Amino acid sequence: MMREAQKILKNVFGYDDFRPVQKDVVATMLAGDNAFVLMPTGGGKSMCYQVPSIIRKGTGIIVSPLISLMKDQVDALHSCGVRAAFYNSSLKAAEAREVLETLAAGKLDLLYVAPERLLTEAFLKHLHEIDIALFAVDEAHCVSQWGHDFRPEYVKLGLLHELFPNTPMLALTATADEHTREDIVRCLSLTNVKRFVSSFDRPNIRYLVTQKSNPLRQLLEFLHDWPDESGIVYCLSRKRVEEAAVHLQRHGLRAAAYHAGLPAKQREKVQDDFLRDRVRVIVATIAFGMGVDKSNVRFVIHHDIPKSIESYYQETGRAGRDGLESEALLLYGAGDISLVRKLIENVESQEQRRIEAHKLNSMVSFSEALTCRRRVLLGYFGERLKHDCGNCDICLDPPETFDGTNLARLALACVRELKGHFGMGYVVDVLRGANTSRIREHGHSKLTAYGSGSDLSQDEWTSILRQLVHHSFLVQDVSHHGALRLAKLADDILVAGQSVTLAKFKPGFRRGLKKISRQRNDDLFHKLAEIRKDLANREGIAPHAVLSDVTLSQMSLSLPSSIEAMSQISGMGQHKLETYGEAFLPILRQHEGEALEEKAKPTVETLKLVAKGSAANDGQLRTWDLYKQGLDSDDIAAQQGISETGLMKHFIALVRAGHHVDVEKVVGEYFSVIMEALDDADPHASLSEVKRDLPVEISNEAFRLALAWREAIGEA
Ligand code: ADP
Ligand code: ZN
């Protein structure tokens, strides 16, 4: 069965391998069991039900709350040659009838249905008359009142399991805290359910936070780094949306405004223009996004601070669904915080006000963090990163650090003395020995900690406490007035004497980061994208449903000159090859010709290589292609999804097949050490014997590559 799944994945969708969780979920569905899947946006949820729906007998019924998304999904499936349809209120009577007829005739692999349609008696009757491959409930958090997007029509979905007890069911969501998770399983009556919970991390999103100074200018500067790419700018108010949109338009950018105050028709048009790449930048209030499934959104900018980390995560998460490098920029302004505070004051229920205030505080503390942003973000969702991420502004442009052990001890001791009942501001006051009425009331001037840190400023202490929270030495209890208490790890410092490195507090503007380098030939990519747009227009679907940016990027580098070669590219399934492949070949061939001419120019040294091994296989040839494009080893390994060792093995095979690899460069700094060792070695010595006397650790693969090279040039 899994072999069949693998085949469908390659032939229909054009992907070589399942992602790790996908594979397990697909196996579960194929075995006819129930599953619950928590995967971040872009994780690849759709494949979890699409592949089993195609393989299992009957039709997969997909419940989805967003009518606008259904059409996109079905378009994308059609472009892969999959028999799919949707059934919702947007269909005319005749169209709806046609869908039902196709369903009854058993000619659908997947049917997307809105929940209110699904649970009508008439429709259930149809379902009883056909074979159902599985039920998939997308955006399953809508079933829970605990979730942030509760939809009453989802509640009744629990009935499905009673009505169709033998049909496997799959619930999928990208956002669920533990409470919501259990609620979903309960509401859908998922018995014997297998749970698959992925990390929330979105590694391809680079998080940046910048002090807001002149936001409109900052926007333009940022957009300058992303020419011709799509993105979203979020603003707090309609007024700011309008302002920013007009400003961008005046500077010649294809930007459009989107907020709840616009007529429905206009909103629909803006959304559609964005999906079809007619508009490049959407400036929007948070009203925008839920119904937008555009895989190649390259950046999300927060012109103003979001109200909570949850919102921030969700909104930035709309970038980079295709897995390509993307950026999230937050313009952080102190003025905005008081603005949001005022908005919160208008909230009616006192309890709600308190919760929102605490959520905002967490967001503020994220923005002011001096620790890896990803660490803070994931920490908020209860995940602990083992290493700093290397892909956020803090990691890329780290603040100065100092040995903060003594200060951390003071802070932790103070929190311990306050017994976990007081928030950050209060702890700072006690540390600094402030003479406030609250401290007097509690008699806290008698504490040992009182005034123990009087030589640091309020900002400095706040920064230290935040860092201790981010490093999990302190816990900030959002449900309890943001009170600080000691975490288990605090003992490492207080008792075990561990030392702590802290970042120096540094106010002001920061940005000195390397631009994201994209793995593609920009010039050719844009030409390919033009062709894609024409194809999409002809079919009336979105360009990214024709081919993804990932596919075009790979094409622009590997320059396949035949349909056969094109089938190696990720995302090129059989149907897409047949339907779209030809359209791209002329321009690809032209570029290949140019590239060859470039190559044919005489090089300094043209050694004649002797092929000592068999011809390279497809994967190795792809490495060869990337290598010829001038990508460095790290990039090739990343693009190929292989390890450093795996890459070396490719190079070994390529050299043995007679390809001219610059081995000295690939092996790196120890090339000459290896060569000398080989010269000196007894010809019958084993590799480990040759390596034993070397002063440095060198991998076997590096040696084997050098050996292959010596053989190929006839020296060995
Ligand atoms: P989600 O619904 O979880 O946000 P999608 O199902 O839209 O994610 O998939 C995100 C992206 O990943 C899509 O562009 C999809 O084509 C791609 N993708 C999914 N599975 C694979 C895979 N096994 N190999 C390569 N790309 C994949
Ligand atoms: Zn980081």
Side-chain angles (χ1 to χ4, degrees):
M1 277 288 230
M2 272 322 273
R3 191 159 328 139
E4 164 124 34
Q6 196 79 35
K7 231 166 73 192
I8 300 272
L9 186 73
K10 178 69 193 164
N11 293 345
V12 177
F13 297 100
Y15 300 135
D16 287 338
D17 293 299
F18 280 110
R19 294 176 177 159
V21 177
Q22 279 177 338
K23 191 173 196 164
D24 296 340
V25 179
V26 168
T28 305
M29 299 321 287
L30 290 180
D33 292 331
N34 296 323
F36 169 85
V37 174
L38 175 69
M39 228 187 235
T41 309
K45 284 186 282 301
S46 359
M47 219 50 75
C48 296
Y49 54 79
Q50 287 173 348
V51 172
S53 294
I54 294 171
I55 295 177
R56 282 179 66 90
K57 184 155 182 269
T59 308
I61 305 292
I62 320 303
V63 187
S64 164
L66 298 159
I67 291 183
S68 58
L69 285 191
M70 287 186 199
K71 182 171 178 324
D72 285 348
Q73 294 248 21
V74 169
D75 283 346
L77 285 168
H78 284 167
S79 77
C80 294
V82 177
R83 305 176 305 171
F86 60 86
Y87 187 69
N88 62 34
S89 56
S90 75
L91 294 179
K92 300 200 183 75
E95 292 170 327
R97 223 171 14 242
E98 201 186 315
V99 169
L100 291 180
E101 276 163 20
T102 326
L103 175 69
K107 287 185 186 154
L108 283 180
D109 290 317
L110 289 106
L111 179 66
Y112 287 78
V113 196
E116 60 276 14
R117 276 282 161 123
L118 173 67
L119 295 165
T120 57
E121 261 181 47
F123 190 78
L124 288 173
K125 197 160 154 277
H126 285 289
L127 284 189
H128 278 296
E129 286 159 7
I130 61 160
D131 289 319
I132 304 174
L134 56 86
F135 286 109
V137 180
D138 206 0
E139 312 283 348
H141 55 272
C142 295
V143 76
S144 165
Q145 307 217 26
W146 288 96
H148 56 84
D149 191 29
F150 172 60
R151 290 173 187 242
E153 66 275 15
Y154 255 64
V155 173
K156 293 201 204 115
L157 290 177
L159 273 179
L160 282 180
H161 204 63
E162 274 170 47
L163 296 172
F164 304 91
N166 298 321
T167 309
M169 187 187 268
L170 170 62
L172 309 109
T173 177
T175 45
D177 54 66
E178 233 166 277
H179 204 105
T180 312
R181 249 182 257 174
E182 288 319 304
D183 219 26
I184 293 172
V185 170
R186 191 180 53 79
C187 295
L188 293 177
S189 326
L190 287 174
T191 44
N192 293 327
V193 65
K194 290 210 179 136
R195 292 175 169 79
F196 300 93
V197 177
S198 311
S199 160
F200 271 91
D201 190 18
R202 301 286 314 280
N204 61 317
I205 301 182
R206 174 181 286 185
Y207 298 104
L208 306 170
V209 181
T210 284
Q211 206 77 27
K212 191 183 207 172
S213 51
N214 178 342
L216 293 178
R217 202 192 60 223
Q218 286 174 310
L219 277 188
L220 284 176
E221 255 175 49
F222 183 87
L223 292 173
H224 187 75
D225 286 352
W226 289 102
D228 298 315
E229 302 284 357
S230 302
I232 310 173
V233 179
Y234 282 110
C235 301
L236 207 55
S237 65
R238 293 177 193 181
K239 190 164 150 272
R240 287 190 182 178
V241 165
E242 301 278 1
E243 251 174 41
V246 167
H247 178 78
L248 295 181
Q249 286 159 358
R250 278 205 197 112
H251 281 81
L253 285 140
R254 282 179 291 131
Y258 184 106
H259 56 70
L262 296 172
K265 268 257 151 36
Q266 189 172 344
R267 270 182 293 161
E268 228 169 84
K269 177 167 183 324
V270 170
Q271 188 164 320
D272 203 49
D273 283 346
F274 185 57
L275 283 179
R276 279 151 214 260
D277 294 341
R278 288 193 285 254
V279 156
R280 163 160 116 75
V281 183
I282 295 276
V283 189
T285 55
I286 51 168
F288 182 79
M290 256 311 257
V292 182
D293 182 3
K294 183 172 163 65
S295 65
N296 57 348
V297 173
R298 285 278 74 82
F299 56 87
V300 168
I301 303 176
H302 281 93
H303 179 279
D304 310 310
I305 194 166
K307 287 181 187 166
S308 66
I309 291 193
E310 285 95 337
S311 317
Y312 174 78
Y313 176 80
Q314 202 174 22
E315 285 148 22
T316 53
R318 300 199 170 113
R321 289 183 79 138
D322 53 14
L324 294 180
E325 295 303 320
S326 310
E327 274 187 312
L329 171 71
L330 166 62
L331 297 179
Y332 177 67
D336 295 337
I337 300 162
S338 25
L339 191 70
V340 179
R341 290 232 157 89
K342 281 217 188 78
L343 292 178
I344 293 174
E345 276 166 27
N346 295 334
V347 172
E348 229 159 83
S349 118
Q350 194 196 345
E351 179 60 20
Q352 196 63 30
R353 267 205 308 272
R354 239 192 13 224
I355 293 176
E356 291 199 15
H358 287 309
K359 289 194 163 180
L360 176 63
N361 285 343
S362 304
M363 190 60 219
V364 169
S365 118
F366 166 84
S367 317
E368 292 185 353
L370 296 172
T371 22
C372 169
R373 305 274 178 211
R374 201 174 308 270
R375 185 182 283 288
V376 182
L377 195 59
L378 294 177
Y380 184 83
F381 295 112
E383 256 182 67
R384 228 176 99 84
L385 268 189
K386 287 205 185 73
H387 309 281
D388 283 355
C389 77
N391 194 26
C392 70
D393 55 348
I394 299 286
C395 286
L396 291 164
D397 181 15
E400 259 182 86
T401 56
F402 66 100
D403 180 354
T405 312
N406 288 335
L407 294 175
R409 282 172 160 270
L410 288 182
L412 295 176
C414 178
V415 171
R416 183 169 56 191
E417 236 178 332
L418 290 169
K419 302 193 167 64
H421 294 308
F422 296 87
M424 206 173 272
Y426 192 84
V427 175
V428 172
D429 280 349
V430 171
L431 280 164
R432 301 189 67 234
N435 181 13
T436 69
S437 56
R438 243 182 116 203
I439 288 184
R440 285 196 301 275
E441 262 166 44
H442 286 103
H444 280 160
S445 54
K446 296 197 193 74
L447 297 179
T448 326
Y450 184 76
S452 61
S454 55
D455 42 356
L456 263 66
S457 73
Q458 191 166 355
D459 282 343
E460 285 167 323
W461 271 122
T462 309
S463 154
I464 291 170
L465 287 169
R466 285 201 171 124
Q467 293 183 61
L468 293 174
V469 171
H470 300 148
H471 281 299
S472 309
F473 294 115
L474 285 175
V475 178
Q476 191 163 29
D477 189 347
V478 176
S479 66
H480 190 241
H481 311 258
L484 288 179
R485 54 186 168 75
L486 295 188
K488 274 203 207 83
L489 284 182
D491 278 350
D492 291 357
I493 299 179
L494 286 174
V495 182
Q498 188 194 311
S499 61
V500 205
T501 304
L502 294 176
K504 263 193 194 152
F505 174 73
K506 173 171 98 178
F509 189 88
R510 33 179 294 111
R511 189 168 187 211
L513 314 172
K514 205 173 94 185
K515 259 178 31 181
I516 283 182
S517 70
R518 269 165 292 170
Q519 293 174 350
R520 67 184 200 198
N521 173 335
D522 255 338
D523 181 38
L524 179 55
F525 177 90
H526 287 118
K527 289 181 191 159
L528 297 171
E530 278 304 310
I531 298 174
R532 170 176 71 173
K533 203 165 168 181
D534 287 343
L535 292 169
N537 284 343
R538 216 174 298 160
E539 296 185 26
I541 64 179
H544 59 90
V546 171
L547 292 176
S548 74
D549 279 19
V550 180
T551 305
L552 289 197
S553 302
Q554 286 193 15
M555 240 188 230
S556 78
L557 287 181
S558 66
L559 304 176
S561 55
S562 65
I563 295 290
E564 172 64 37
M566 209 180 259
S567 71
Q568 296 294 328
I569 290 179
S570 174
M572 285 307 266
Q574 209 51 46
H575 187 79
K576 288 192 179 183
L577 274 175
E578 285 162 18
T579 325
Y580 309 124
E582 284 295 338
F584 293 96
L585 283 180
I587 186 105
L588 288 168
R589 287 190 182 133
Q590 183 190 331
H591 265 258
E592 203 203 16
E594 285 164 16
L596 281 180
E597 263 170 45
E598 202 55 34
K599 281 263 140 50
K601 286 180 190 156
T603 51
V604 197
E605 189 184 17
T606 19
L607 271 173
K608 191 106 187 80
L609 292 197
V610 190
K612 295 274 184 177
S614 49
N617 68 24
D618 289 342
Q620 291 155 357
L621 283 177
R622 235 173 303 149
T623 293
W624 175 237
D625 268 335
L626 296 172
Y627 173 77
K628 276 190 300 180
Q629 301 301 327
L631 268 68
D632 65 35
S633 296
D634 286 350
D635 288 345
I636 299 175
Q639 187 131 337
Q640 288 276 55
I642 55 181
S643 65
E644 206 181 314
T645 314
L647 181 67
M648 288 299 252
K649 286 185 178 151
H650 277 199
F651 279 130
I652 294 167
L654 286 167
V655 169
R656 291 183 58 76
H659 294 270
H660 207 302
V661 175
D662 184 351
V663 172
E664 181 167 1
K665 188 152 159 252
V666 170
V667 169
E669 56 176 327
Y670 296 130
F671 182 75
S672 55
V673 177
I674 296 176
M675 284 305 192
E676 275 167 32
L678 291 174
D679 286 342
D680 295 347
D682 171 344
H684 301 292
S686 71
L687 191 50
S688 50
E689 281 165 342
V690 177
K691 280 176 66 175
R692 199 174 40 211
D693 300 328
L694 293 182
V696 284
E697 183 71 44
I698 297 175
S699 74
N700 287 347
E701 278 71 25
F703 262 98
R704 294 209 177 98
L705 180 53
L707 273 172
W709 172 249
R710 285 160 71 100
E711 268 179 41
I713 57 177
E715 269 187 18

